[in-house]
Amino acid sequence: MTASQSVSAQGKFMTKVGRVTFFSTSIIEDIEARNTSAAAVLDLSTSQLAFSVPVKEFLFKRTLMQEHFNENYMESTKFPRATFTGHFVGLDAAALATPGSHIVKVEGDLTLHGVTHHMTVPGTLELKNGQLMAFALFSVAPADYNIEVPLLVRENIAKIVSIRVGLTCDPVGGSAAPVTRSTSPN
């Protein structure tokens, strides 16, 4: 007996509740924040992707950290969003029909604090229950984005900050072309 499983391996996927976290470690204290308001669009048919993160939506364990982050470092009133636009490098969208996580490379432009840098980052994609799960890890040096850290607290902020992006995207109506994979039960 053969079971047929339909998987959307091509087309557009999007979310408005993507998760972005960052972690900065130092001798004095670790700084961690999370944001669940990232909007993203991933188009497997063209290998294009983009996401936008509202900077003020980062939540910290301490209110004072959040205030300093928004007012002193990120200047979130002046630079309200961080964005990434780019493409998957060498993506084989049909391979996503195979269960499990697939390693990918993403290349594009990260704009943060009004400064844009081109970068390539590692990531993973997985189609699961009709949704596209995407994960990427960015290593960002605040100094590269003109984020000034006062001398008094410079030892409290890591030179490189790890930014994790986790997206659970739904197919955009009518754009996903199903790929059928047959399996035989044992």
Side-chain angles (χ1 to χ4, degrees), residues 8 12-14 130-132 169-176:
S8 297
K12 288 184 184 177
F13 293 82
M14 68 180 296
Q131 294 180 307
L132 181 64
C169 302
D170 293 313
V172 175
S175 71

Side-chain angles (χ1 to χ4, degrees), residues 58-129:
F58 277 99
L59 300 175
F60 293 73
K61 63 182 173 184
R62 293 192 318 195
T63 307
L64 189 58
M65 281 183 177
Q66 194 163 324
E67 279 180 32
H68 287 170
F69 173 80
N70 283 303
E71 294 171 11
N72 303 340
Y73 304 116
M74 294 301 292
E75 300 176 271
S76 55
T77 301
K78 186 176 178 182
F79 306 108
R81 298 199 165 277
T83 62
F84 182 84
T85 56
H87 64 277
F88 296 102
V89 178
L91 176 67
D92 178 7
L96 293 175
T98 305
S101 186
H102 301 272
I103 296 172
V104 294
K105 268 192 208 174
V106 177
E107 182 178 313
D109 294 325
L110 176 65
T111 301
L112 186 64
H113 197 246
V115 177
T116 301
H117 284 290
H118 193 77
M119 58 179 39
T120 301
V121 298
T124 61
L125 290 177
E126 179 178 6
L127 276 170
K128 193 172 189 176
N129 301 322

